Amino acid sequence: MAEMECRVLSIQSHVVRGYVGNKSATFPLQVLGFEVDSINSVQFSNHTGYAYWKGQVLTADELNVLYEGIRLNKVNHYDYILTGYSRDTSFLATVVDIIQELKKANPSLVYVCDPVMGDHGAMYVPEELLPVYREKVVPLADILTPNQFEAELLTGRKIHTIEDAMEAMELLHKMGPEMVVLTSTDLPSKQGDRYLVALGSQKTVKPDGTISTQKICMDIPKVDAVFVGTGDLFAAMLLAWTHHHPKDLKAACEKTVSVMHHVIKRTITYANEKAGPGKRPSPAQLELRMVQSKADIENPTIVVKATVLQKS
């Protein structure tokens, strides 16, 4: 029997050179067998961490025009939607309209949302996006991948402990998503300060109608460099591995984080070699080694294990 085709609509930024947004998400998803339709919310020469960047920004009206073309041809049937960085309220509102229409067309569609708003206590999108995320976007999401700061913004609660994080994930579940993964936190790791703590929570409805919950925790080795596009890769890989392990948060997260680990390790090794002894690698040298990591994306060796905190 032929395997069902699985199609993703990914609405994210695009760069000519390097890996961020759709460039970070498309190749890994294709490697894992997904058909990816990309709408580029911006087209820039490169990511904004370089000294210079040039390019165009897609407006809400232009987004509508693109989507209308897809709809008129009756090819607007998707299994997944993936969204990342957006910095304009009207654009985000249009994305919401498109998701609602696609969910009507396919009620089993899964929406994976990376609510990109800021990090380490600072917002890098306009503040008026927060209520749109809170009231319109998050309630539509099935899988949500905020970092600690974004989870705090969405819930209005500060996270100081693992218990706070568990409560925040519960509050986010109540807003809509069945799966919430806090991709990075400042919480102390049991393995010491060279590790980042990530947490995940999944609610699954059992055949008898009762809800089972699984909460996990992961200690991820830190790498001393600034990478761009890793969050976009994380959300894409979580989509892929959740598709393959729909009721097993632990397995999906272990594979996702292990892919990240292999890609980042390959990237930092290459960047340090290119930069030379004692020199900090440049943004160009730190572009993710995506194509070179194809085998790890397809079949990651599990290097980061998840601990189950709660199972019911």
Side-chain angles (χ1 to χ4, degrees):
M1 191 180 124
E3 197 182 331
M4 282 294 291
E5 181 174 283
C6 202
R7 196 168 279 274
V8 180
L9 176 63
S10 181
I11 305 175
Q12 299 194 61
S13 51
H14 169 82
V15 287
V16 177
R17 167 70 187 250
Y19 291 94
V20 68
N22 273 331
K23 282 282 290 283
S24 248
T26 304
F27 173 74
L29 284 169
Q30 288 172 330
V31 161
L32 287 166
F34 293 84
E35 287 285 354
V36 185
D37 294 359
S38 305
I39 293 179
N40 299 325
S41 55
V42 304
Q43 172 166 270
F44 285 169
S45 51
N46 44 268
H47 72 66
T48 56
Y50 284 74
Y52 308 97
W53 71 92
K54 302 280 180 190
Q56 301 81 35
V57 177
L58 195 73
T59 66
D61 289 342
E62 289 164 340
L63 170 61
N64 253 329
V65 169
L66 286 175
Y67 176 69
E68 192 185 0
I70 292 167
R71 197 184 49 198
L72 289 170
N73 288 310
K74 297 186 169 57
V75 288
N76 59 338
H77 183 96
Y78 290 96
D79 303 285
Y80 288 91
I81 297 181
L82 176 61
T83 66
Y85 179 76
S86 178
R87 60 167 300 109
D88 177 76
T89 48
S90 61
F91 189 89
L92 196 54
T94 304
V95 170
V96 167
D97 293 342
I98 291 171
I99 294 166
Q100 284 171 327
E101 188 172 313
L102 292 174
K103 281 201 166 200
K104 275 198 194 95
N106 175 20
S108 60
L109 179 143
V110 174
Y111 170 33
V112 181
C113 171
D114 185 6
V116 183
M117 288 184 284
D119 205 355
H120 305 301
M123 283 184 82
Y124 39 62
V125 300
E127 280 184 27
E128 55 266 27
L129 261 72
L130 177 56
V132 184
Y133 270 112
R134 210 182 256 160
E135 291 152 29
K136 294 185 173 164
V137 180
V138 175
L140 283 174
D142 300 284
I143 298 174
L144 191 71
T145 61
N147 58 33
Q148 176 179 332
F149 177 61
E150 289 156 352
E152 289 174 338
L153 285 176
L154 290 167
T155 58
R157 298 274 191 99
K158 285 278 180 220
I159 296 171
H160 301 292
T161 63
I162 294 278
E163 290 69 37
D164 292 344
M166 305 259 276
E167 274 175 36
M169 290 192 292
E170 279 300 321
L171 287 170
L172 290 167
H173 282 311
K174 287 198 175 91
M175 291 165 80
E178 287 162 21
M179 183 185 288
V180 177
V181 177
L182 302 187
T183 54
S184 64
T185 69
D186 302 325
L187 298 172
S189 163
K190 290 193 175 80
Q191 299 195 39
D193 57 9
R194 293 177 62 191
Y195 287 81
L196 269 178
V197 175
L199 297 128
S201 176
Q202 182 178 27
K203 303 252 182 212
T204 314
V205 180
K206 293 183 194 164
D208 66 0
T210 57
I211 293 174
S212 69
T213 305
Q214 189 182 30
K215 285 192 169 59
I216 59 143
C217 177
M218 288 175 292
D219 296 280
I220 304 170
K222 280 184 191 172
V223 179
D224 180 27
V226 176
F227 298 99
V228 177
T230 46
D232 309 318
L233 176 62
F234 189 104
M237 290 298 85
L238 190 64
L239 182 161
W241 292 116
T242 304
H243 178 76
H244 292 299
H245 304 282
K247 295 192 166 42
D248 190 347
L249 175 71
K250 183 177 188 288
C253 284
E254 284 177 347
K255 287 191 174 174
T256 297
V257 171
S258 295
V259 167
M260 303 293 299
H261 178 82
H262 295 304
V263 173
I264 286 170
K265 207 169 168 195
R266 182 171 285 106
T267 303
I268 194 70
T269 303
Y270 169 85
N272 285 334
E273 277 171 16
K274 276 290 200 198
K279 291 207 178 88
R280 298 288 287 184
S282 68
Q285 290 162 340
L286 284 166
E287 289 285 8
L288 297 178
R289 302 293 283 166
M290 202 73 85
V291 174
Q292 297 78 3
S293 303
K294 179 177 173 284
D296 289 319
I297 292 165
E298 282 183 288
N299 188 15
T301 306
I302 303 299
V303 286
V304 179
K305 291 275 194 198
T307 310
V308 177
L309 299 174
Q310 182 193 337
K311 197 165 187 178
S312 61

